[in-house]
Amino acid sequence: STAAANFAEALEVRRKLASFDPDDLVTQQSLAHTCLRLADLLTYSARTDQAKELLYEALSIIDHNLEITANDYRHLTDSVYACERLGNLMLSEGKLDEAERLYGRILEASQQALDLAPNDSQVLRGVAIAHYRLGTLRQAEGKLTEARQEFERAVAIRRQRFSQDPNDTEAENDVADALTFLGDVLWDLKQIDEAEQCYQEKYEINNRIAERDPTNAFAQRALGIALGRLGKTAEGRGDFSQAIAHRRAVLKITHELLDAGDELTIYQTDLASSHHAVGVCLVRIGDVAGSIEHFQQALEARMKLAEANPHNVIQQEDVVTALRNLGLSNRKLYRFDVAAEKYEQAAALAAEL
């Protein structure tokens, strides 16, 4: 993308400036921030291997800065964000031990920063991130009660931060994000009503933000995520028509973002998930023929993601699932040749993983 190209150019300039004096904290920190920003863009584009290289570079710079001035909370906050991004990638790849090590560093750095600057908004944000990410790790490990406790701490801290400045959109959005994960773990704990309350509050927050800034792609995507979660709860109640309506609203938002020229690959994930969910609901209400179009769209999006990131096993497995869904729907329609073809493709890909 144009943004990634611009940051890549800026990165080379920052590297040259930083090479003149490795102990100049200002230029080193600027270099680390540029690495972090470009890594974000690469992650959104599913170029995670390149993103990881930049994140390790940023973390090395930040660690060097902390060796020079250990009592500067700003460098500790930088460490929080670098470790979070790396930890997220490790978690997405199923590397739980490495994710836990990085999330542990987040908690340690954020607590040190809090001691130095207890009223700083970004420091509070870092503490919330620590609990938020430890919650995602505990959830991945199946320790749902512990995950709930971490997410509840994150929500409480993020509400505290937002209360300090109700005009801070970042803080407002952070509350919504934390409610998403709290709702998810409540859902996993079969506490459906409480989960839906979290999702509804998240929707209300994201809708307010999106209405204030309708051209903000990230705000629109966050609204889509909220609608997707409401679709999940509707499906859980057996209200498949409402579930389909919510998921189609997500598809509308995602297609509008893509039509606007935003090629972030993360939108392919949204497309795949929403098409899959609509397909499942259509099968549940007996419209198997209608499900095939959505499962096919899900497959195409999953394949784009897998091709962009061939070393990501989870994305390869998603392609296998999409092929099996197509096979199952075609079998139900007595299209046995097509079903067999999809099952064979799924089996061949699964054997390579």
Side-chain angles (χ1 to χ4, degrees):
S1 69
T2 302
N6 290 338
F7 272 101
E9 290 180 12
L11 179 62
E12 292 309 311
V13 174
R14 298 289 189 195
R15 281 173 173 159
K16 287 180 181 178
L17 290 171
S19 69
F20 294 136
D21 187 354
D23 292 335
D24 184 332
L25 293 174
V26 175
T27 56
Q28 295 298 325
Q29 186 177 43
S30 295
L31 173 56
H33 287 175
T34 305
C35 288
L36 291 172
R37 187 68 186 94
L38 182 55
D40 282 345
L41 292 172
L42 292 171
T43 300
Y44 284 128
S45 300
R47 294 155 65 185
T48 53
D49 289 341
Q50 292 172 272
K52 279 191 287 189
E53 290 178 7
L54 286 171
L55 289 169
Y56 279 118
E57 180 180 350
L59 192 55
S60 176
I61 295 165
I62 294 163
D63 287 344
H64 178 70
N65 289 346
L66 285 168
E67 288 175 4
I68 298 172
T69 172
N71 292 324
D72 191 327
Y73 71 89
R74 292 169 297 183
H75 299 307
L76 288 164
T77 302
D78 289 344
S79 180
V80 167
Y81 295 139
C83 288
E84 181 203 11
R85 285 157 174 77
L86 263 175
N88 296 347
L89 290 177
M90 295 302 170
L91 186 61
S92 72
E93 295 175 0
K95 299 175 181 176
L96 301 188
D97 290 344
E98 182 64 9
E100 179 153 26
R101 184 185 71 80
L102 289 160
Y103 291 156
R105 283 194 60 176
I106 294 174
L107 187 59
E108 180 181 352
S110 63
Q111 290 294 344
Q112 290 176 7
L114 189 64
D115 291 339
L116 295 167
N119 297 315
D120 184 86
S121 177
Q122 289 302 313
V123 169
L124 276 176
R125 188 170 192 256
V127 177
I129 285 172
H131 291 294
Y132 176 50
R133 291 307 177 188
L134 284 169
T136 62
L137 179 62
R138 298 295 170 248
Q139 189 171 18
E141 294 171 335
K143 300 174 182 177
L144 300 184
T145 300
E146 292 180 33
R148 175 181 181 169
Q149 293 169 349
E150 295 291 354
F151 289 137
E152 286 174 340
R153 293 186 186 107
V155 169
I157 295 168
R158 289 184 168 186
R159 289 192 196 279
Q160 176 190 348
R161 178 173 175 248
F162 179 51
S163 70
Q164 293 176 351
D165 183 2
N167 295 316
D168 186 340
T169 300
E170 179 188 63
E172 185 178 18
N173 189 66
D174 281 351
V175 175
D177 281 349
L179 286 166
T180 307
F181 282 82
L182 177 56
D184 287 349
V185 78
L186 288 167
W187 177 271
D188 290 343
L189 287 165
K190 311 300 182 187
Q191 298 178 18
I192 308 303
D193 290 343
E194 291 182 62
E196 188 165 20
Q197 289 173 11
C198 290
Y199 296 149
Q200 183 63 39
E201 184 180 357
K202 171 185 168 55
Y203 168 76
E204 291 167 2
I205 293 171
N206 289 139
N207 193 47
R208 285 198 304 269
I209 295 172
E211 286 180 346
R212 290 200 303 264
D213 190 0
T215 63
N216 186 314
F218 290 101
Q220 296 300 320
R221 179 173 184 265
L223 177 60
I225 291 171
L227 286 163
R229 290 303 197 280
L230 289 175
K232 180 173 74 171
T233 57
E235 183 180 348
R237 293 196 308 272
D239 188 348
F240 298 111
S241 295
Q242 187 64 51
I244 291 170
H246 283 312
R247 264 60 178 267
R248 283 184 168 152
V250 180
L251 288 171
K252 180 175 182 293
I253 290 171
T254 308
H255 281 297
E256 287 174 352
L257 291 169
L258 288 168
D259 290 344
D262 200 329
E263 295 297 329
L264 289 179
T265 310
I266 196 168
Y267 297 145
Q268 296 298 331
T269 303
D270 297 341
L271 281 179
S273 298
S274 297
H275 277 301
H276 170 80
V278 173
V280 169
C281 287
L282 288 171
V283 170
R284 295 291 296 274
I285 63 175
D287 187 2
V288 179
S291 76
I292 288 179
E293 177 187 353
H294 288 282
F295 286 144
Q296 181 62 40
Q297 293 286 339
L299 173 62
E300 291 173 9
R302 295 294 190 199
M303 289 180 69
K304 286 182 181 179
L305 289 166
E307 289 168 4
N309 213 17
H311 301 298
N312 189 313
V313 175
I314 293 174
Q315 289 177 352
Q316 306 298 321
E317 289 173 343
D318 286 342
V319 175
V320 172
T321 300
L323 286 165
R324 287 172 176 163
N325 287 335
L326 275 171
L328 180 59
S329 285
N330 277 286
R331 185 171 65 81
K332 288 182 176 181
L333 293 172
Y334 305 106
R335 300 171 182 169
F336 297 117
D337 290 345
V338 177
E341 178 188 3
K342 300 304 177 185
Y343 284 137
E344 287 171 5
Q345 290 173 350
L349 181 55
E352 295 176 2
L353 299 179

